[in-house]
Amino acid sequence: MNIREQLEALEEQIFSPYASLSKDTRGREREEPSCDIRPAYQRDRDRILHCKSFRRLKHKTQVFLSPVGDHYRTRLTHTLEVAQIARTIARSLRLNEELTEAIALGHDLGHTPFGHAGEAALNSVCTGGFAHYKQSVRVVERLEKNGAGLNLTWEVRDGIRNHRTSGKPSTLEGKVVRLSDKIAYINHDIDDAIRAGILTEEELPMEYTDVLGHTVRERLNTMIHSIIGESLGKPEILMSPEVGTAMGRLRSFMFEHVYTNSVSKEEDPRAEDLLIALFEYYMKRTEELPAEYLLLMEQGDSKERVVCDYIAGMSDGYAIDTFMALFVPKAWKN
């Protein structure tokens, strides 16, 4: 029995009966030999961690566009916080931590530069629409490895596809990530908004903070404990009605006061115009796309989709630099 088989046997002994066992995966789109050391979901986690799309998240907006300051979240630090929260919950419920972490690390790989403003821009110009959760799946299935994708297991791809609010993950691990995503961004975005001077702790509605807590630490503790307490030994991931309602209303408060109507969003229209200009430019000049994207079109992918792929993969800084190079005239010099 090799190391992977020993670890799979250990999962059967210690995991909840509702956990996703590595040996029971529905498999990959392309069959490949199993690793002798790592179970399937650990292997997926490693592939995501080492891919180019994951590294680019460090220079993509979470809420604050290209913030001046080292302590604001980026899409990468958001992803890491989601993974930490999700692993804490999964371990307490004796679920598969490696599946949970793989989904968490991969859930935002398809996010655009400039956060949801970038997503809205591409959605407005692409005939088939654009949604970051779908693009995250496209990244792991098609775009990474020069069109070969990462060949992840079905369960990881299902969790990535269904991490949005209306999603319905097929595994408890995916459901943990779906809730952990919200727990993470509600709390760290409050922290960033307070740091930016947009909010104060005292401005948060007391009817919600009296339930959840009056600091980020207290709120995280309340939400995580609620999920663990309500879900332990059950075939579902739950949160107490009181905590769930307060979390949902605090999320709505954040949408109203930070995500859509705050000073932090003043640059969003410019960011959207920038990405739309890049889209229109490359739609007329697809020959200027990198070779890996030209190959996708040769293999049958539509021009619109491939142009969106290229722009969605850009970091904030690269998108700005590309726009400057294409549209801003340079001073003449002899």
Side-chain angles (χ1 to χ4, degrees):
M1 183 180 287
N2 62 31
I3 293 173
R4 172 185 54 79
E5 292 168 335
Q6 292 175 37
L7 292 172
E8 290 173 345
L10 186 61
E11 288 182 359
E12 292 188 88
Q13 296 175 32
I14 66 174
F15 279 5
S16 160
Y18 307 115
S20 301
L21 299 178
S22 299
K23 71 177 185 63
D24 292 336
T25 175
R26 290 172 58 169
R28 309 176 187 279
E29 287 192 322
R30 301 185 303 277
E31 289 189 18
E32 56 184 75
S34 298
C35 179
D36 62 334
I37 297 174
R38 298 168 298 166
Y41 303 135
Q42 182 183 345
R43 205 175 184 190
D44 285 358
R45 187 273 313 276
D46 295 348
R47 290 179 181 185
I48 291 168
L49 192 63
H50 289 286
C51 77
K52 293 185 296 183
S53 300
F54 184 80
R55 295 195 292 277
R56 290 198 297 269
L57 295 177
K58 65 183 176 180
H59 295 305
K60 291 193 178 190
T61 291
Q62 174 60 23
V63 171
F64 296 92
L65 193 155
S66 300
V68 177
D70 293 336
H71 299 132
Y72 291 98
R73 272 71 171 189
T74 65
R75 191 62 59 176
L76 178 60
T77 55
H78 160 72
T79 295
L80 295 176
E81 291 186 36
V82 173
Q84 178 270 315
I85 292 168
R87 284 196 61 169
T88 296
I89 295 169
R91 176 171 291 189
S92 298
L93 298 178
R94 293 188 294 119
L95 300 177
N96 194 315
E97 282 185 66
E98 289 164 350
L99 172 57
T100 304
E101 187 176 22
I103 295 169
L105 293 178
H107 83 281
D108 270 356
L109 290 178
H111 238 301
T112 61
F114 312 126
H116 289 285
E119 182 176 16
L122 292 186
N123 187 54
S124 72
V125 293
C126 188
T127 302
F130 183 94
H132 80 273
Y133 66 91
K134 293 180 181 178
Q135 188 69 10
S136 295
V137 176
R138 181 165 167 81
V139 165
V140 300
E141 289 185 344
R142 182 81 170 117
L143 301 183
E144 277 291 337
K145 302 292 185 183
N146 295 319
L150 300 179
N151 198 30
L152 304 181
T153 57
W154 182 90
E155 291 80 6
V156 172
R157 290 180 284 123
D158 171 79
I160 293 171
R161 181 179 290 108
N162 287 287
H163 79 269
R164 66 199 188 282
T165 299
S166 60
K168 299 184 185 302
S170 299
T171 65
L172 293 192
E173 290 82 0
K175 293 177 181 179
V176 166
V177 173
R178 177 179 167 275
L179 271 176
S180 297
D181 184 31
K182 293 170 182 57
I183 292 171
Y185 71 65
I186 290 169
N187 285 288
H188 66 49
D189 293 347
I190 289 173
D191 190 39
D192 281 356
I194 291 172
R195 177 174 290 107
I198 293 171
L199 283 178
T200 65
E201 178 66 39
E202 292 69 32
E203 289 176 301
L204 298 175
M206 287 187 64
E207 61 264 40
Y208 314 143
T209 58
D210 283 347
V211 174
L212 300 173
H214 296 281
T215 66
V216 169
R217 178 181 178 182
E218 289 178 1
R219 286 187 286 271
L220 285 170
N221 191 60
T222 298
M223 295 177 190
I224 292 169
H225 273 80
S226 179
I227 292 174
I228 294 168
E230 294 290 322
S231 307
L232 197 61
K234 298 175 184 175
E236 189 54 89
I237 302 302
L238 305 166
M239 183 179 276
S240 73
E242 183 183 29
V243 172
T245 297
M247 184 183 84
R249 289 178 178 170
L250 185 58
R251 178 175 177 267
S252 297
F253 173 87
M254 289 296 290
F255 269 93
E256 182 178 351
H257 292 86
V258 177
Y259 300 144
T260 57
N261 293 313
S262 75
V263 66
S264 68
K265 300 288 100 182
E266 289 180 355
E267 295 300 314
D268 281 6
R270 293 185 180 91
E272 292 178 23
D273 289 345
L274 184 153
L275 293 191
I276 290 171
L278 290 179
F279 178 85
E280 292 172 347
Y281 178 90
Y282 284 111
M283 284 295 291
K284 296 174 182 175
R285 301 170 181 84
T286 52
E287 71 278 2
E288 295 184 24
L289 292 171
E292 61 194 273
Y293 294 93
L294 296 177
L295 180 61
L296 291 173
M297 286 189 290
E298 290 174 11
Q299 294 173 345
D301 290 17
S302 73
K303 179 167 70 172
E304 278 193 6
R305 183 57 57 191
V306 172
V307 170
C308 277
D309 290 337
Y310 180 50
I311 295 171
M314 293 178 175
S315 64
D316 293 10
Y318 186 75
I320 293 170
D321 289 346
T322 301
F323 179 88
M324 294 287 286
L326 295 177
F327 294 106
V328 178
K330 299 175 181 61
W332 181 88
K333 61 180 178 179
N334 190 350

